[in-house]
Amino acid sequence: MMAADEAANNDNEVEVQVYQQQLAVPALPHQQQQQQLEPEAADYGLVKHLLAEAEMEQKQAAMHVQAAQNAVTAAQEKLVTANNNHAIALAKVDQLKSQFQTEIMDENLRQPCRWNDMYNKLILWKESHNGDTCVNYDAKKDDEETKRLNRWVITQRSAYKYWNNGDKKHIKDHRIDALNKVS
């Protein structure tokens, strides 16, 4: 594009020079003084030509500005669409993650182990105590099973505090999910 503009400018300069040569007439001394006071016809033609060029460049610049504004508008629309698609994808990931965590939790809770036994006892405790998961132990009234459940609940609460502070070695994620489901 620059080469085309340069070629057009060169053509215009040649045309102006030819036009000036055609107008060149030997000037008489009084005409030379008058020419210094009044603009020459060749200068007027040059100014007119330069003004026409400037107007053309201004129109081209306006077209470039409009094209740039259209490109910005299109890019903004694409950004909105991309942000919406991103939000939808994140929601799907969260949904799948939630489903996956539930399946892991359920599968792990079916495995025979002491933690699962105590977890099931906590569920029974909650059902028999109107939804309360606070297992209080009274040495005079309660049996050894209640005492063990009480200690287990205290241990789980302690492990949960560690887990919340980023120390994941005390309890597994699926157990946190299971305990949150109970409380």
Side-chain angles (χ1 to χ4, degrees), residues 2-181:
M2 293 175 107
D5 288 344
E6 287 178 9
N9 284 340
N10 289 339
D11 290 344
N12 291 337
E13 288 176 19
V14 170
E15 288 176 9
V16 169
Q17 288 173 354
V18 169
Y19 183 73
Q20 287 175 339
Q21 288 174 358
Q22 290 173 349
L23 292 177
V25 176
L28 300 173
H30 77 284
Q31 286 177 332
Q32 288 176 347
Q33 289 175 354
Q34 189 177 10
Q35 286 176 351
Q36 290 174 355
L37 297 175
E38 297 177 10
E40 292 182 19
D43 288 341
Y44 177 74
L46 177 62
V47 168
K48 189 175 177 182
H49 175 74
L50 292 174
L51 182 60
E53 262 187 15
E55 288 174 353
M56 180 65 85
E57 288 177 8
Q58 184 181 18
K59 288 178 183 177
Q60 288 176 345
M63 288 175 18
H64 290 298
V65 167
Q66 185 62 44
Q69 288 173 338
N70 292 344
V72 167
T73 301
Q76 288 172 334
E77 290 171 358
K78 287 181 180 180
L79 177 63
V80 167
T81 301
N83 284 339
N84 289 341
N85 290 341
H86 180 68
I88 290 168
L90 286 178
K92 286 180 181 179
V93 166
D94 286 343
Q95 179 186 6
L96 290 172
K97 185 178 177 183
S98 174
Q99 178 185 355
F100 185 64
Q101 285 176 337
T102 302
E103 289 175 12
I104 289 174
M105 179 187 66
D106 291 343
E107 179 61 32
N108 283 317
L109 289 175
R110 285 191 282 273
Q111 303 300 318
C113 68
R114 183 177 184 280
W115 195 94
N116 289 346
D117 291 342
M118 296 305 288
Y119 175 78
N120 289 326
K121 288 179 182 178
L122 178 62
I123 290 173
L124 293 174
W125 176 275
K126 181 180 177 181
E127 290 172 358
S128 65
H129 288 84
N130 297 324
D132 189 10
T133 58
C134 185
V135 181
N136 294 321
Y137 174 70
D138 184 358
K140 295 177 185 174
K141 295 182 186 176
D142 295 323
D143 60 355
E144 191 62 30
E145 278 298 311
T146 305
K147 182 178 179 181
R148 273 188 265 169
L149 184 58
N150 171 272
R151 278 192 240 136
W152 184 83
V153 169
I154 291 170
T155 302
Q156 301 316 305
R157 288 186 177 147
S158 177
Y160 182 76
K161 287 178 186 176
Y162 281 112
W163 185 85
N164 268 341
N165 291 325
D167 187 353
K168 309 288 184 179
K169 65 183 176 189
H170 297 282
I171 192 166
K172 297 176 183 173
D173 290 344
H174 74 274
R175 290 181 175 174
I176 292 291
D177 293 338
L179 291 170
N180 284 333
K181 185 177 170 182

